[in-house]
Amino acid sequence: MPWLSRKEQHAADDNRIAASLSHLRALEFQARGFSFLPRQPVQSILSGRHGSRLRGRGLNFEELRHYRPGDDIRSMDWKVTNRTGKPHVRVHTEERERRVHLLVDQRVSMFFGSQRSMKSVVAAEVAALAAWRVIASNDRLGGVIFDDHDCYRIPPRRSRESVMELLSRLAKSNAELAAGQTSKPSQLNIAMDNLARGLSHDALVIYIGDGFGWDDRSDELLKKMSMHNDVIVINIFDPAEIELPRLDELIVSDGEMQIAVSGNPARLDERFRDSYNAHVGHMLNVLKSYGLPLISVNCAEDPVNQVLKALGARR
């Protein structure tokens, strides 16, 4: 990027490794042209041709009361009327906002990237886009951000302060990631359970991560969350996770030690690809069985364009 000053170039490079708060804030102006509302463009992965239909805003039951002159007869509760012998109607109020919970993965498994950015950065960028879009739609934003040690819960609120709290936590989690940290696959289920216990109904849950550690318990938690809520999984991946670089010898390091991997490149590449496909294939099969969508976002391309394309909009 020769048009940037040295200071600006350094900041841009840093945001490929760890997303800064200012970088995530700036994505507010790009969070346009897509939505998580029920009515979707025909090209969208959330459109009606898929099994999952976003519930969106509807009517909340408020009370059951005696019939009054002028009440709509269509709101009559005939079971209660027959049981009591007096006409009763059900009163509903329009649900004007929806709760959207982001479940964002910031474990050390996300601290990997071979081209544009680290997976942890792309997850933070996608989460920022979703957060700004949710607030612009006058919905409530909350969620859980988790790493290999802790889960950080943000209660759903309809305010810019909620977005800033989430983005600040993401920027902090990005900055704390480093090679050589201990990975904890079970933390995914801990975070999913943490979020599931705080859900009621008709909310939207968006998981953003690589699904590292996804197992049968994850399937159960997904089923639990999706029974009365909408769930979208955004899988963050790097092209190098699918296909190894074409090298005679590959040096792999955890930040402290390294090892040279050689041998039969074709066989190694095939085993590598099969391992990734088995992991993603399991997630995809489970999501399909529950009629839930999977959006894949890779680290080699601009996540804004990928989100817009997945949700049926044009850049």
Side-chain angles (χ1 to χ4, degrees):
M1 289 180 276
W3 61 88
L4 297 180
S5 67
R6 181 175 297 180
K7 183 178 180 180
E8 290 171 328
Q9 177 69 61
H10 181 68
D13 290 340
D14 286 348
N15 281 319
R16 297 173 186 175
I17 299 171
S20 66
L21 178 58
S22 60
H23 175 67
L24 298 177
R25 288 181 63 179
L27 289 171
E28 177 180 5
F29 306 104
Q30 299 187 64
R32 299 169 180 170
F34 68 96
S35 79
F36 299 109
L37 295 175
R39 301 179 70 176
Q40 292 285 328
V42 68
Q43 303 94 339
S44 172
I45 197 170
L46 305 181
S47 66
R49 69 176 184 270
H50 291 268
S52 176
R53 293 177 180 270
L54 295 180
R55 293 172 174 82
R57 303 183 179 94
L59 295 176
N60 279 333
F61 172 73
E62 185 173 288
E63 64 174 338
L64 187 67
R65 61 168 173 79
H66 291 290
Y67 175 84
R68 298 171 185 168
D71 284 340
D72 191 339
I73 193 172
R74 290 176 297 182
S75 62
M76 188 79 72
D77 190 314
W78 295 107
K79 289 184 178 180
V80 176
T81 297
N82 291 334
R83 187 168 65 248
T84 63
K86 296 180 180 180
H88 282 74
V89 293
R90 298 177 66 88
V91 179
H92 295 81
T93 56
E94 185 180 359
E95 184 182 3
R96 297 185 180 278
E97 58 190 19
R98 180 176 51 170
R99 296 171 305 283
V100 180
H101 301 265
L102 303 183
L103 181 61
V104 190
D105 196 336
Q106 289 289 290
R107 293 175 294 168
V108 71
S109 66
M110 299 290 291
F111 194 64
F112 176 79
S114 64
Q115 297 186 42
R116 175 188 174 273
S117 302
M118 295 292 194
K119 291 194 296 181
S120 52
V121 169
V122 175
E125 292 173 330
V126 171
L129 289 168
W132 288 123
R133 189 67 251 154
V134 167
I135 291 299
S137 300
N138 292 319
D139 286 324
R140 291 183 177 269
L141 173 72
V144 172
I145 299 170
F146 66 101
D147 54 29
D148 290 288
H149 308 288
D150 296 299
C151 297
Y152 306 92
R153 175 178 283 277
I154 294 118
R157 300 190 301 270
R158 191 182 69 241
S159 66
R160 291 181 64 87
E161 287 73 18
S162 183
V163 179
M164 293 308 300
E165 181 181 354
L166 184 138
L167 299 188
S168 297
R169 182 63 248 178
L170 282 172
K172 190 173 189 299
S173 296
N174 259 230
E176 291 173 348
L177 281 171
Q181 294 176 342
T182 303
S183 177
K184 188 178 178 182
S186 61
Q187 191 71 3
L188 173 62
N189 288 339
I190 293 174
M192 290 177 72
D193 185 59
N194 188 308
L195 180 59
R197 283 186 279 108
L199 287 177
S200 54
H201 60 85
D202 294 334
L204 171 62
V205 175
I206 305 175
Y207 168 63
I208 305 170
D210 61 3
F212 177 64
W214 191 293
D215 56 18
D216 292 342
R217 174 59 179 160
S218 311
D219 298 345
E220 296 173 7
L221 290 167
L222 178 71
K223 181 180 180 179
K224 178 181 178 181
M225 289 190 291
S226 64
M227 286 181 66
H228 302 291
N229 303 278
D230 291 302
V231 180
I232 299 172
V233 172
I234 301 181
N235 180 51
I236 309 296
F237 73 97
D238 189 276
E241 293 180 297
I242 303 175
E243 187 171 0
L244 287 171
R246 297 301 180 186
L247 301 172
D248 294 333
E249 188 176 68
L250 187 65
I251 307 298
V252 182
S253 172
D254 64 358
E256 295 181 358
M257 303 180 67
Q258 66 181 32
I259 184 174
V261 180
S262 58
N264 187 329
R267 185 177 179 184
L268 181 64
D269 189 55
E270 182 180 356
R271 291 174 59 188
F272 193 80
R273 191 184 308 109
D274 289 346
S275 175
Y276 179 82
N277 288 338
H279 159 66
V280 176
H282 175 79
M283 278 202 309
L284 185 59
N285 289 334
V286 172
L287 291 169
K288 281 185 176 180
S289 68
Y290 298 142
L292 303 175
L294 173 71
I295 298 174
S296 293
V297 175
N298 71 71
C299 295
E301 302 173 38
D302 180 8
V304 178
N305 288 331
Q306 294 183 74
V307 168
L308 287 173
K309 183 178 180 180
L311 297 180
R314 292 183 178 180
R315 181 71 170 165

